[in-house]
């Protein structure tokens, strides 16, 4: 019963995003170094930034900063001057930016087509639906739990509005586990075909974007979430298995 409700609320969350956080632009501009985001999975302002990171096909190292967390909050304060999230760091340009709308504007300007969405759109459309998603998920991922820090950041293939990837990101957030988020937003109609059907009916299909291609080469398909743990050299798909693995290996 719990898991049905858990899935239902994550799926409702995906519907509330009104299609954002699923698709990626056709011709992305990739920076040399991944961006860095001090983030809380359940923070509505952080989510709207992550939606744009999926849209622009940008890789990002996530440093989770749940509300009572002690691992990355002090670092965020050192880096940016205060504990407010989201905080974006772009090591390619040395920019450190607070305020979700300013971060989104920067991302569109620097890595998008230069067209910036209006602040009204961010505040009246994006933000309320993101608050609704956090509410239906009961703000999961916002409270730190005891955990063992990994030596190296984990790697997660995901796109923001995947209802399954959300479960994994919530656990990573609560346990303050840093991870390189490799976005796999969809661009072609074949990307929307369910993975099992695609594997059989479109066996020759090659995705156009680097992360989708990389994941296909690794696992034979694009199914998210997909976790790689360089510390144990384990890699796996299936959100329930990943959640179990993370708790077994990193819960304190
Ligand atoms: N106007 C800011 C609001 C950011 C904000 O209020 N973030 C909350 C988390 S949702 C925060 O940083 N709270 C301080 C804390 O958690 O210590 C934005 O759009 O980025």
């Amino acid at each position: 019963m719990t898991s049905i409700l858990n899935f239902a609320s994550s799926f409702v969350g995906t519907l509330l995003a009104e299609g954002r956080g699923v698709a990626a632009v056709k011709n992305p501009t990739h920076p040399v170094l991944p961006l860095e985001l001090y983030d809380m999975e359940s923070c509505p302002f952080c989510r709207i930034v992550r939606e744009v990171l999926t849209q622009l096909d940008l890789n990002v190292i996530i440093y989770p900063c749940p509300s009572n967390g002690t691992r990355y909050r002090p670092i965020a304060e050192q880096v940016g001057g205060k504990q407010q999230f989201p905080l974006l760091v772009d090591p390619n340009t040395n920019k450190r930016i607070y305020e979700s709308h300013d971060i989104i504007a920067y991302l569109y300007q620097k890595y998008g087509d230069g067209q910036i969405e209006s602040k009204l759109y961010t505040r009246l459309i994006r933000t309320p639906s993101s608050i609704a998603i956090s509410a239906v998920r009961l703000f999961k991922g916002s409270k730190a739990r005891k955990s063992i820090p990994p030596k190296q950041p984990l790697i997660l293939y995901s796109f923001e509005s995947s209802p399954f990837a959300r479960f994994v990101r919530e656990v990573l957030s609560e346990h303050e586990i840093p991870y390189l988020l490799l976005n796999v937003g969809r661009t072609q109609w074949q990307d929307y075909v369910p993975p099992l059907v695609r594997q059989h009916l479109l066996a020759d299909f090659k995705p156009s974007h680097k992360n989708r291609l990389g994941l296909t080469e690794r696992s034979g398909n694009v199914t998210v979430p997909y976790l790689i743990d360089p510390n144990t050299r384990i890699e796996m798909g299936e959100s329930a298995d990943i959640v179990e693995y993370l708790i077994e290996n990193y819960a304190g």
Side-chain angles (χ1 to χ4, degrees):
M1 189 62 179
T2 325
S3 60
I4 294 174
L5 281 179
N6 196 23
F7 175 73
S9 69
S10 191
F11 188 69
V12 168
T14 296
L15 297 179
L16 287 168
E18 297 155 1
R20 291 184 293 270
V22 174
V25 292
K26 284 219 157 52
N27 297 303
T29 304
H30 291 136
V32 177
L33 299 170
L35 307 177
E36 295 166 19
L37 188 69
Y38 292 84
D39 163 274
M40 269 184 270
E41 175 60 28
S42 60
C43 163
F45 306 103
C46 298
R47 182 177 297 105
I48 64 177
V49 168
R50 296 195 308 267
E51 284 174 1
V52 174
L53 292 169
T54 291
Q55 186 188 0
L56 297 179
D57 199 46
L58 293 168
N59 296 336
V60 58
I61 302 174
I62 300 280
Y63 294 114
C65 299
S67 60
N68 49 338
T70 52
R71 200 167 290 157
Y72 293 111
R73 281 190 162 241
I75 301 176
E77 194 168 344
Q78 268 172 23
V79 166
K82 56 182 173 180
Q83 290 192 21
Q84 180 182 298
F85 308 98
L87 162 62
L88 181 88
V89 176
D90 185 345
N92 303 282
T93 58
N94 254 330
K95 290 259 184 217
R96 289 145 200 228
I97 313 172
Y98 284 107
E99 289 298 326
S100 49
H101 176 75
D102 295 345
I103 296 173
I104 290 172
Y106 170 78
L107 292 172
Y108 280 139
Q109 230 164 9
K110 183 81 194 147
Y111 300 112
D113 61 8
Q115 273 198 320
I116 300 171
E117 73 185 25
S118 74
K119 199 162 188 168
L120 222 55
Y121 179 79
T122 311
R123 292 298 176 230
L124 295 184
I125 307 289
R126 265 190 201 274
T127 309
S129 69
S130 188
I131 292 170
I133 297 169
S134 297
V136 295
R137 289 303 293 158
L138 305 174
F139 293 89
K140 281 195 180 149
S142 59
K143 286 269 178 302
R145 293 174 189 268
K146 277 198 170 165
S147 70
I148 304 156
K151 286 209 167 77
Q152 291 182 62
L154 276 52
I155 300 168
L156 182 72
Y157 287 91
S158 164
F159 58 86
E160 179 51 35
S161 291
S162 157
F164 301 103
R166 197 190 320 277
F167 302 140
V168 172
R169 296 195 313 260
E170 286 168 353
V171 172
L172 289 165
S173 183
E174 286 170 349
H175 293 85
E176 300 177 272
I177 301 171
Y179 58 102
L180 172 64
L181 175 65
L182 299 177
N183 269 304
V184 288
R186 297 165 171 162
T187 51
Q188 303 166 87
W189 68 264
Q190 292 95 330
D191 297 332
Y192 288 83
V193 175
L196 266 179
V197 179
R198 187 170 55 223
Q199 202 166 16
H200 289 101
L201 298 186
L202 302 165
D204 294 334
F205 169 66
K206 285 246 178 302
S208 60
H209 280 31
K210 196 168 164 229
N211 289 343
R212 284 198 154 249
L213 204 53
L215 183 53
T216 308
E217 282 162 4
R218 248 177 199 287
S219 72
N221 208 339
V222 177
T223 313
V224 299
Y226 190 84
L227 180 85
I228 302 170
D229 186 345
N231 304 286
T232 57
R233 300 198 178 166
I234 275 178
E235 48 186 277
M236 58 171 80
E238 286 303 319
S239 55
D241 295 345
I242 300 174
V243 165
E244 198 180 305
Y245 168 82
L246 290 172
I247 289 172
E248 227 164 69
N249 286 272
Y250 293 107

